[in-house]
Amino acid sequence: MRTVSVTAAAVTAVIGAGAAAVAAGRLASNAALRIPPGGPLPTEPGLTVHATAAGQVTLTRDLAALRPGRHGLTGDGFHAVVGPVLSGTSNPADTVVRRLERVTHGTLEPGDRAWFTPALHVGDPGTALGLDHTGLDVPGELGPLPVWFVPGARDTWVIAVHGLGTTREHALNVLELLHRHRFPVLIPAYRGDPGAPRSPDRLNHLGETEWRDLDAVLRHAVDSGARQVVLYGWSTGATMALRAAARSEMRERVAGLVLDSPVLNWEATLRALAAAHHTPRPLLPLAVRAAQGRTGLYGDRRPGAVHLDRVGVPTQIIHGPDDAVAPWRFSRELAAAQPNSITLHTVRGAPHAAMWNADQEAYEETLRRFLTPLM
């Protein structure tokens, strides 16, 4: 009886440990699978607003606060646009002073907690940029998808798709350039976004199912007169663009891809987000397995899957080595594997999906050169 009792206790302990491990893996996977649209990524540090003055904001000194370029600064009830770090200012050594270009919404007060976002604009193409547009509801797999349509004279259309931690407002960063070159532009919300249908399991699938919403918008573009379409995606929006270009029944109409900070390896991205969420290293494999079990994520290793390197349209990747969410090395490998069709523009000092923010001039010139032959 004693042996049985000991054995039973040992089995119970093992089962208990296994259940705890499963629960821990599930919790860790939430760092990637439950990121709210417009919310900060786990890799984005929180900053404190220490002071504001005419055209200036003082923030906690952090590597994030020292980033080059222009960024959104957002928090509870406010959004602002900050420019470069200002030199020659008198401020405590543990703070950084940046140019405060404008406060888009709310007010900044000392003590406010804030984080950087790549989205400079709040609102729609009309309220944010003064551009005529139409709000559409495009039928999708799970229900109607809210889409902004900005008309243009060309028969090459652009569909611009945001990614992790942002909303479709992110695409407004490049909308003026696309409009100036007379591209009709569609900017969709997709499953899980405000105003769009929810995913049945309430989880982000890192583009593996969301691409079908992009496919619905692509079909709408073709039905509405687009001769060809450029798919332009950031982060998991870039993953969606790759999937649509490979799998869509409309793929022959896809003339090119623009991929900003593409998530090319979902396991690496999930590990990065879980680690940034303070998940202990031994639990990271459990987070990956939990994500697979919850979403069916297997990527290109699944039998019969469409591999990324089989997508043959002209592609511009814009990415950099400081991306802590989607490792740059996968973009380098993809570009090296197809030098005749894929071009990589490298941006240094930029976090995930903020390549435009770090160097707007070079980014837009790269984009213009890529799009010109597709006009």
Side-chain angles (χ1 to χ4, degrees):
M1 290 294 295
R2 182 177 182 183
T3 302
V4 171
S5 299
V6 171
T7 302
V11 169
T12 300
V14 169
I15 292 174
V22 169
R26 183 182 178 89
L27 183 63
S29 70
N30 282 342
L33 303 182
R34 292 193 182 275
I35 294 173
L41 297 176
T43 51
E44 193 61 42
L47 305 172
T48 299
V49 176
H50 290 271
T52 60
Q56 298 182 7
V57 60
T58 304
L59 302 170
T60 307
R61 178 172 287 273
D62 185 275
L63 289 176
L66 295 168
R67 290 170 182 162
R70 303 167 66 221
H71 302 265
L73 182 71
T74 191
D76 187 13
F78 67 86
H79 178 278
V81 177
V82 298
V85 174
L86 298 176
S87 59
T89 58
S90 177
N91 58 286
D94 60 348
T95 63
V96 173
V97 179
R98 296 189 73 114
R99 181 182 303 145
L100 179 61
E101 295 189 5
R102 65 179 184 272
V103 178
T104 314
H105 169 71
T107 58
L108 273 71
E109 301 290 345
D112 282 346
R113 295 291 289 170
W115 66 89
F116 277 4
T117 170
L120 258 61
H121 302 285
V122 173
D124 58 37
T127 58
L129 301 171
L131 296 178
D132 291 336
H133 74 289
T134 303
L136 308 173
D137 283 326
V138 173
E141 180 183 52
L142 302 179
L145 304 168
V147 178
W148 293 325
F149 173 61
V150 180
R154 301 191 184 279
D155 58 7
T156 297
W157 292 30
V158 176
I159 304 177
V161 195
H162 75 87
L164 290 172
T166 60
T167 67
R168 55 181 169 157
E169 292 172 324
H170 187 190
L172 299 179
N173 285 0
V174 297
L175 183 56
E176 286 183 305
L177 178 141
L178 296 174
H179 184 68
R180 190 162 61 246
H181 290 287
R182 302 184 294 152
F183 288 103
V185 183
L186 291 164
I187 304 175
Y190 54 86
R191 61 190 69 186
D193 282 345
R198 291 186 177 183
S199 176
D201 59 10
R202 306 293 198 266
L203 300 176
N204 188 315
H205 290 212
L206 305 183
E208 283 293 328
T209 56
E210 292 85 354
W211 78 268
R212 293 197 284 269
D213 292 343
L214 174 56
D215 185 35
V217 179
L218 172 58
R219 184 178 299 276
H220 170 82
V222 173
D223 290 345
S224 300
R227 178 179 59 87
Q228 59 182 13
V229 177
V230 174
L231 302 181
Y232 186 158
W234 292 260
S235 178
T236 50
T239 310
M240 293 164 61
L242 282 162
R243 295 296 184 258
R247 299 172 179 168
S248 172
E249 293 181 358
M250 299 286 107
R251 59 186 176 274
E252 291 184 0
R253 298 297 189 99
V254 176
L257 301 173
V258 179
L259 310 176
D260 184 315
S261 312
V263 173
L264 300 177
N265 183 301
W266 73 266
E267 290 187 23
T269 292
L270 191 140
R271 282 173 172 266
L273 292 171
H277 205 62
H278 308 296
T279 300
R281 183 179 293 272
L283 292 183
L284 294 180
L286 296 176
V288 171
R289 288 199 290 272
Q292 286 179 323
R294 300 171 75 186
T295 65
L297 282 168
Y298 289 94
D300 293 338
R301 297 181 304 177
R302 184 176 52 206
V306 176
H307 291 259
L308 297 180
D309 59 9
R310 295 177 189 168
V311 179
V313 298
T315 299
Q316 176 67 64
I317 299 177
I318 308 175
H319 207 173
D322 299 288
D323 188 335
V325 174
W328 178 52
R329 68 182 179 90
F330 296 109
S331 289
R332 292 171 57 201
E333 291 169 1
L334 185 59
Q338 292 192 81
N340 294 328
S341 58
I342 300 177
T343 303
L344 172 63
H345 173 71
T346 299
V347 181
R348 299 186 182 277
H352 184 62
M355 305 298 129
W356 177 89
N357 304 79
D359 192 348
Q360 179 181 344
E361 183 176 352
Y363 186 109
E364 293 191 351
E365 177 60 16
T366 296
L367 188 57
R368 184 194 66 79
R369 290 184 179 185
F370 175 75
L371 291 174
T372 295
L374 304 176
M375 292 181 179

